[in-house]
Every structure is written in structure tokens, then in C-alpha cells.
Amino acid sequence: FFIYLTMDQAEIVFVLFDGGGVLFNGIPSPMLMKLAQSYGQSETLEEYQVQQLQQKIATANQLPEVREAWHQLKTNPAFNETMYWQTMISAAGLRENVDECKQLVRDSMLVHSGVMQLAQAISHSTTETGERRNIGIVSNHATEWFGEYARKGDVFNVFTPHLAVVSQEVRCCKPDFSIFEATMERIFAVRPNTKPEEILFFDDKEPNVTAARQFGWKAETFHNEQQNVNVMTEILQNYGVYL
């Protein structure tokens, strides 16, 4: 730790969080896995056929046309949630309609209270020179879905909307540098002349972390389903962020 600080003097002033996998759970996988259990129960199917059907429903978001619809949803403001569900219903043969899918995915949304509490503590912390730290979000997400998470978890009681960068809104997504550039513009509005190395970013996907580092940020992998929030606390301490 001592060696780290002598090698790199830049203090962390901004701590940024990914949405799904860090602050939130990922969707729509939990909804689809739960939904899959209701398929094949009333039909006269062989056991292996039931398993095949349930597997198809549980992994419907991985079908090529649905993956493409997700890319559109998270980067194109003209592509809406209804279009996404229409694509999945058609591709996977879901018996649910669009409105039912919208409700089911909202029911499955979870905000990680431990990470939220940690973010709040960071926003109340100061650097060695006494400067108050800022927190933000950089999320590959649909604007509607992000808004629902924000409402459910009172996210904007902790984060400021200006420093919440949602990919569909800015028309680009991680790991593309464009979304990091869009984030820097927001940061400059709060604190002009901020250096990339004064930013620490948490994401659950390694390619996004790699890209953020190449952009000049400090970045670390964290996945809220696989790691305890204490791991994030330790990472923060390694960067000189004490809470």
C-alpha cells in the first residue's frame, strides 16, 4: 500500500459505479429463470422436452435477435422497451404479452443496499486535502429501466442525476470510449480540470474495466452477487479512500 501511494500520488476525487451487477441486479435473467419454471407444466411433454423448453425461456435474452434488441435498447433512444419485449416474445415464443413482461421485469429489480450505503459514505468522505468526494453512475441501461431502479431504490437520494450516465441517453455504451468521454463532460461541469486518474470506477465486466483503465481511469472489477461489499471497502482503502 505504501509503495502504491508513492508510485501514484493522484487522489481519488470521483468514485463511479456500474448499474447492473454493482449497484443493481442484472435483468432480465432473474425474471426469465423464474418464468421458465411455469412452462411445460400443463402440457403432455416428455421430461427432456420440458427441460428444453424451460432452458429456452430461461436464456431467452441470449438469443441472437434478442441480444441485438438489447444493444439497440441500451444505445438508441428511438428503440423502446415495447420493441424489446416484442422481439423476445417472438424469438422465444413467450406466452406473456408486452405489458406482462414489463411488470414481471420490474418486479424482479433489486437495488443493492450495501453498495448504496457505501456510496453514500464515499459522498460524505474527503480527500487528504479536505476536498469532498463525488459519486456517480455509468450504466449500460435502458433509460426506462434505469429510472425504475432509481425510483425503487431511492437512488437519487444518494446520487445526483447529473452524474448518472445512462447509455441509452448518451447513445453509446461501455466498453466504447465515447461513454467515458460523455462522463468526463458531466464531471467537468462539477469540477473542471479533473484528471482521469482522479477517478475510480467499479464494474462487474472485465472488458469495461480494461477499457476504463485504457481511458486513464482507475478501475476495478466488482460483482455484487459474487462478492461481499467488504471487498469493495478494501479496494477503496487500497486507493486511499477511507470511510
Side-chain angles (χ1 to χ4, degrees):
F1 178 62
F2 172 75
I3 294 170
Y4 175 81
L5 275 188
T6 55
M7 284 171 61
D8 189 347
Q9 296 297 329
E11 283 205 83
I12 299 299
V13 183
F14 286 81
V15 180
L16 307 177
F17 299 82
D18 174 33
V22 178
L23 276 174
F24 316 141
N25 65 336
I27 53 172
S29 286
M31 162 211 160
L32 292 171
M33 286 189 280
K34 186 177 178 183
L35 193 61
Q37 299 306 308
S38 69
Y39 278 71
Q41 303 303 326
S42 59
E43 291 116 66
T44 53
L45 296 174
E46 297 289 335
E47 182 60 32
Y48 78 93
Q49 291 174 310
V50 171
Q51 287 177 351
Q52 282 179 343
L53 177 60
Q54 290 183 346
Q55 180 66 12
K56 184 181 182 182
I57 302 302
T59 58
N61 58 320
Q62 299 303 321
L63 294 167
E65 53 267 69
V66 182
R67 287 171 73 97
E68 174 55 30
W70 167 237
H71 181 75
Q72 287 295 318
L73 185 62
K74 69 183 177 183
T75 56
N76 180 2
F79 193 93
N80 61 36
E81 185 184 0
T82 295
M83 295 173 182
Y84 175 81
W85 291 121
Q86 285 170 338
T87 303
M88 186 185 288
I89 288 164
S90 171
L94 295 184
R95 59 187 176 217
E96 285 70 24
N97 63 32
V98 168
D99 286 341
E100 287 170 331
C101 289
K102 285 183 177 184
Q103 188 56 53
L104 287 166
V105 81
R106 280 158 176 73
D107 291 344
S108 74
M109 291 178 177
L110 298 170
V111 176
H112 196 289
S113 59
V115 178
M116 283 287 290
Q117 286 164 11
L118 199 57
Q120 189 157 32
I122 294 165
S123 73
H124 293 152
S125 72
T126 55
T127 65
E128 290 279 308
T129 56
E131 184 179 0
R132 185 84 165 255
R133 289 194 179 90
N134 296 274
I135 55 172
I137 303 170
V138 186
S139 181
N140 284 356
H141 237 300
T143 309
E144 284 180 86
W145 285 352
F146 184 89
E148 192 62 31
Y149 273 114
R151 189 191 63 75
K152 261 195 160 185
D154 291 326
V155 169
F156 292 134
N157 282 352
V158 177
F159 291 85
T160 58
H162 180 73
L163 287 177
V165 180
V166 182
S167 60
Q168 189 181 25
E169 234 172 71
V170 295
R171 300 168 183 259
C172 53
C173 63
K174 299 170 291 185
D176 195 305
F177 273 15
S178 299
I179 197 166
F180 302 135
E181 288 162 359
T183 305
M184 289 305 292
E185 285 179 23
R186 304 270 187 100
I187 286 171
F188 290 146
V190 173
R191 184 179 181 269
N193 305 316
T194 298
K195 300 181 186 74
E197 61 268 27
E198 293 176 307
I199 296 162
L200 174 60
F201 175 54
F202 289 99
D203 197 290
D204 66 315
K205 294 181 176 61
E206 196 62 50
N208 298 342
V209 169
T210 301
R213 286 174 178 165
Q214 289 169 345
F215 187 75
W217 291 358
K218 306 291 195 327
E220 297 292 340
T221 309
F222 177 83
H223 198 300
N224 62 24
E225 286 184 11
Q226 297 164 11
Q227 292 166 295
N228 189 283
V229 74
N230 293 341
V231 173
M232 187 179 277
T233 304
E234 287 171 16
I235 294 169
L236 286 162
Q237 288 174 354
N238 289 339
Y239 283 96
V241 180
Y242 294 96
L243 307 173

